[in-house]
Amino acid sequence: MSDLSATDRCVKCGLCLPHCPTFRLSGIEADSPRGRISLMQAMDSPDVSWSPGLFRYLDRCLECRACEAMCPSKVPFGQLMDTARRRLEPHRQRSLPGRWLRAAGLAMLTSPARLKLFGLALRVYRQLGLQRLITRLPGLPQGLRRLNRLLPAGHSAAAVPTQFAAETRGTVDLFRGCVAGLVDPHTLAAAQRLLQQLGYRVNVPARQGCCGALHQHNGAPRAAARLAESNRTAFGDSNHPILVTASGCAAQLLEYGTLYGETGVSQRVSDILHFLLAHERTALQFAPLPQTVAVHVPCSHRNVLGQGQDIIDILDWIPQLRPVPLNPQGGCCGAAGSYLLSQPEVADQLRDDMLEPLARSNTRLLVTSNIGCFMHLQAGLKEKGLDIEVVHPVVLLARQLQD
């Protein structure tokens, strides 16, 4: 979508207001989908004023798309917000360090070589104990402290199983992504183990890269399009399903058809949980786990994929497990891609409100299906001093899997 004409579909009914996380926090009309639609319409005026308020309220949108999921007029709010941010970008007044950090961050995600180098630096950073040291240094900028908290405290390399089940059902392609491959390799290894146990050969194309969601939602659509083309080339023209462990990446890959007319990839994409649930439960056997587990359903899984129930359904495969929804009525944890860095106060308030019930519970496990939510929730639990592990559902399944 290259223009904002679809804003005219909005009839200003207000049904979206109770579903908008930022409006529920502030009660300000401009912080609501309806208010943001009005701001977008003002951007089409020849005498538009690029005021701080315009940037503030459009930037505070999480793009959780809860409004879009229930809109009776089918306003494509996510696409409109992407277009608005693209238009805003040339008019932004960023500091030189701010411009450099943004450019460096987005550029790193576009290059597998740079990501590999960053991964090596991250391992050295942990091994030297710098991650722990930085938390004790006085006077450190809050942005650096925040980045440090988001990084996992460290983990051993995740071993990838090589055995196959006796029956071979075919080949699947696994989407590795960018950040997930660096900070949560255990989820990818767990997905491979489950798929191989089901009898699938798992192919992980070496030339694949970032899905482009962060670029698409941050005013850099050309970079997002280049990443989409790279992934199309990497996954080729086979009919192998492309399975994704991060729901945010799955949502972006599924929209390649709408954004770029690239149906070859989008028609093959499936969230890993949705794919697993298509199989008989008896194909895999799991050891009982008599434990209560908190379940976070990411906005991308609920509002974009429309498959939020899959997380609960897949956990039912584990005998005696008691899944308890953390956000049964919806609501965003505040991660929202880069939002947890660009809007830290709102992001933390949304997250802390969601985590508050866990402080009064005896839960020791929290599952979520998106890497950004994983990092944000994990950091929040650390800050609160709560000894609760955050894992992807496939990690829990792999742990209980009986060979």
Side-chain angles (χ1 to χ4, degrees):
M1 181 178 294
S2 59
D3 60 47
L4 297 171
S5 60
T7 55
D8 292 339
R9 295 191 206 173
C10 178
V11 296
K12 310 296 192 297
C13 66
L15 291 176
C16 57
L17 301 186
H19 301 273
C20 177
T22 53
F23 179 75
R24 289 165 66 179
L25 277 182
S26 71
I28 298 173
E29 176 73 12
D31 252 341
S32 73
R34 183 174 65 183
R36 291 181 175 116
I37 288 285
S38 295
L39 290 174
M40 291 181 206
Q41 290 172 332
M43 290 173 66
D44 266 345
S45 170
D47 57 349
V48 58
S49 172
W50 303 100
S51 65
L54 182 65
F55 289 90
R56 170 181 169 81
Y57 291 113
L58 292 180
D59 286 347
R60 278 167 59 98
C61 176
L62 293 141
E63 285 208 61
C64 68
R65 292 169 67 171
C67 57
E68 184 176 321
M70 54 67 58
C71 178
S73 300
K74 306 299 181 186
V75 176
F77 191 85
Q79 294 178 39
L80 288 168
M81 184 56 66
D82 289 345
T83 298
R85 287 177 174 169
R86 176 180 59 79
R87 288 200 188 179
L88 287 174
E89 196 55 38
H91 302 278
R92 289 190 184 276
Q93 300 296 320
R94 286 192 175 95
S95 65
L96 183 60
R99 290 198 301 272
W100 183 87
L101 285 172
R102 178 180 184 273
L106 293 179
M108 182 187 69
L109 297 179
T110 63
S111 168
R114 284 191 287 264
L115 275 172
K116 186 176 181 179
L117 184 62
F118 177 76
L120 176 62
L122 183 58
R123 285 195 295 274
V124 173
Y125 178 73
R126 287 173 177 148
Q127 289 169 0
L128 293 178
L130 296 177
Q131 188 173 8
R132 293 189 299 274
L133 176 63
I134 277 185
T135 60
R136 304 187 184 100
L137 291 178
L140 195 71
Q142 286 301 312
L144 289 178
R145 288 188 184 277
R146 188 171 185 82
L147 279 171
N148 189 64
R149 284 197 301 268
L150 287 170
L151 296 174
H155 46 65
S156 57
V160 176
T162 56
Q163 75 276 10
F164 295 94
E167 179 187 1
T168 299
R169 301 193 183 197
T171 301
V172 296
D173 291 339
L174 187 61
F175 182 76
R176 183 180 57 237
C178 49
V179 176
L182 292 177
V183 303
D184 188 26
H186 289 285
T187 293
L188 296 171
Q192 287 180 265
R193 183 183 177 200
L194 291 167
L195 291 164
Q196 290 177 352
Q197 196 65 27
L198 279 169
Y200 285 96
R201 288 188 175 87
V202 181
N203 178 43
V204 186
R207 296 177 61 191
Q208 63 172 295
C210 176
C211 68
L214 286 174
H215 305 77
Q216 180 67 27
H217 303 324
N218 283 277
R222 291 182 180 177
R226 288 194 296 270
L227 289 167
E229 178 58 25
S230 295
N231 283 322
R232 190 207 66 76
T233 301
F235 285 98
D237 297 323
S238 75
N239 61 354
H240 301 157
I242 300 172
L243 306 184
V244 191
T245 58
S247 60
C249 296
Q252 179 71 9
L253 292 168
L254 281 167
E255 294 192 338
Y256 276 10
T258 301
L259 292 170
Y260 316 115
E262 174 45 67
T263 58
V265 168
S266 59
Q267 289 180 351
R268 294 163 54 195
V269 167
S270 176
D271 176 78
I272 182 72
L273 304 183
H274 203 67
F275 183 86
L276 290 173
L277 283 167
H279 295 83
E280 289 292 332
R281 175 177 173 173
T282 54
L284 299 172
Q285 298 296 320
F286 299 93
L289 184 62
Q291 191 171 336
T292 299
V293 175
V295 178
H296 170 258
V297 180
C299 300
S300 49
H301 221 134
R302 184 195 306 271
N303 301 326
V304 186
L305 299 181
Q307 299 166 359
Q309 183 61 32
D310 284 358
I311 304 179
I312 298 291
D313 290 345
I314 203 79
L315 293 176
D316 283 343
W317 284 12
I318 302 177
Q320 300 180 34
L321 187 71
R322 300 182 297 275
V324 177
L326 191 63
N327 55 338
Q329 305 303 318
C332 182
C333 72
S338 61
Y339 193 95
L340 76 174
L341 295 174
S342 63
Q343 303 288 331
E345 293 182 4
V346 179
D348 286 357
Q349 187 172 353
L350 290 169
R351 180 195 63 194
D352 293 347
D353 288 348
M354 189 171 288
L355 292 178
E356 194 272 334
L358 292 182
R360 304 189 304 269
S361 72
N362 61 355
T363 302
R364 289 296 171 263
L365 270 174
L366 169 61
V367 300
T368 187
S369 60
N370 191 51
I371 183 61
C373 304
F374 167 91
M375 296 170 66
H376 190 45
L377 293 168
Q378 184 174 247
L381 292 168
K382 287 180 185 176
E383 290 177 24
K384 293 177 178 296
L386 297 176
D387 185 21
I388 298 175
E389 183 185 14
V390 185
V391 297
H392 192 284
V394 298
V395 172
L396 206 53
L397 289 171
R399 286 180 185 175
Q400 301 305 117
L401 182 63
Q402 296 178 324
D403 294 330

